[in-house]
DNA sequence: AAGGGCAATATCATTCTTGATCATTAATCC
DNA sequence: GGATTAATGATCAAGAATGATATTGCCCTT
C-alpha cells in the first residue's frame, strides 16, 4: 500500500481529483511530522500511537571496515500498535 | 495530536463538517489496518513504512507473581521511520 | 457533556532492534 | 512511463522492546 492508495480512499468520499486528494494526504502527513518535530505524541485510539523518545544507542557498525562506529545521540520515533492492530 | 486534529486538516481543504471529515479519517485507518491484516506492507516515502513480521519472542513476565510466562507466537507490526522522520 | 473503554505505566529476562554504508529495488515526481 | 531518489538488506554489539496485568488517565463515542 502506498500514498496513492490513501488518496483513492479520499476520492471515495468526495468529488476531489487525484491531485487534490494527494494534496490533502501530504498536508496530513506534514502535520503528523510537525507534531513529532515538536516532541508531541500522536495517539489514534484503536490504531496506534507514536512518541518521540531519546536515542541512547552509542554504537553502530561500519559493514565495510567491520568496525564499531560511534553514533551521535538524538531522538527516535517509538511506534506502538493499538488494540485493533495487536492481533492480526 | 489525536484523530480529531487529522480531521481538522481535511476541513482546511474542503467544506466537509467534522462528522464527514472523521468518517474519511476512519475509512483511511480502516484501509491501513486491512492492508496489514493481509500481510501487505505500507510504504509512504518520506514519512514511514509499516510491515508485518512474525513474533518470535517466547517469554514474558507476570509482574504480580514475578514469574516468567510463555508467550504464544504470532505477528506484529514493524514500524520504520522514513527520511524526513529520521532526524527530528 | 460525560462515561466507557482503550492506552500508559511498571516489572524482568530473553529476544530483537538500532546504527552507518553500498547496491538493489521500488515509490514518487514530472 | 522515465527519471529521480528514498527504502531495503546485510553486518555486529550494545541498548531497548516484548509480554501479562491492574490501575490511572484520557481519547472517543453516545
Amino acid at each position: 500500500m502506498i500514498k496513492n492508495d490513501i488518496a483513492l480512499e479520499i476520492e471515495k468520499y468526495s468529488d476531489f481529483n487525484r491531485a487534490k486528494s494527494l494534496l490533502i494526504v501530504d498536508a496530513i502527513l506534514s502535520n503528523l511530522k510537525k507534531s513529532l518535530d515538536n516532541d508531541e505524541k500522536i495517539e489514534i485510539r484503536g490504531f496506534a500511537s507514536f512518541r518521540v523518545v531519546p536515542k541512547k544507542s552509542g554504537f553502530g557498525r561500519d559493514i565495510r571496515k567491520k568496525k564499531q562506529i560511534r553514533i551521535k545521540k538524538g531522538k527516535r520515533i517509538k511506534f506502538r500498535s493499538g488494540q485493533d492492530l495487536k492481533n492480526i
Side-chain angles (χ1 to χ4, degrees), chain A residues 6-19 21:
Chain A
I6 299 177
L8 277 170
E9 196 64 19
I10 293 181
E11 291 182 43
K12 282 189 188 174
Y13 292 82
S14 66
D15 58 351
F16 302 152
N17 57 20
R18 184 62 43 84
S21 296

Side-chain angles (χ1 to χ4, degrees), chain A residues 54-60 69-76:
Chain A
K55 186 195 304 174
K56 295 179 183 174
S57 298
F59 292 94
I69 292 179
R70 286 210 68 78
I71 295 171
K72 49 188 176 301
K73 302 182 179 180
K75 301 174 181 178
R76 50 179 288 272

Side-chain angles (χ1 to χ4, degrees), chain A residues 8-66:
Chain A
L8 277 170
E9 196 64 19
I10 293 181
E11 291 182 43
K12 282 189 188 174
Y13 292 82
S14 66
D15 58 351
F16 302 152
N17 57 20
R18 184 62 43 84
K20 176 153 186 177
S21 296
L22 281 171
L23 190 75
I24 295 177
V25 174
D26 281 329
I28 292 174
L29 292 174
S30 176
N31 252 35
L32 293 173
K33 280 186 278 191
K34 198 182 305 174
S35 180
L36 294 172
D37 278 337
N38 201 30
D39 283 5
E40 186 195 352
K41 73 175 178 183
I42 298 171
E43 184 175 334
I44 309 298
R45 292 290 173 108
F47 183 73
S49 65
F50 307 79
R51 288 188 304 161
V52 180
V53 297
K55 186 195 304 174
K56 295 179 183 174
S57 298
F59 292 94
R61 193 168 187 82
D62 184 329
I63 188 173
R64 291 174 312 163
K65 301 174 184 172
K66 298 178 183 297

Side-chain angles (χ1 to χ4, degrees), chain A residues 69-86:
Chain A
I69 292 179
R70 286 210 68 78
I71 295 171
K72 49 188 176 301
K73 302 182 179 180
K75 301 174 181 178
R76 50 179 288 272
I77 308 292
K78 177 170 163 35
F79 168 82
R80 200 162 171 179
S81 297
Q83 185 82 342
D84 298 355
L85 279 182
K86 281 278 176 61

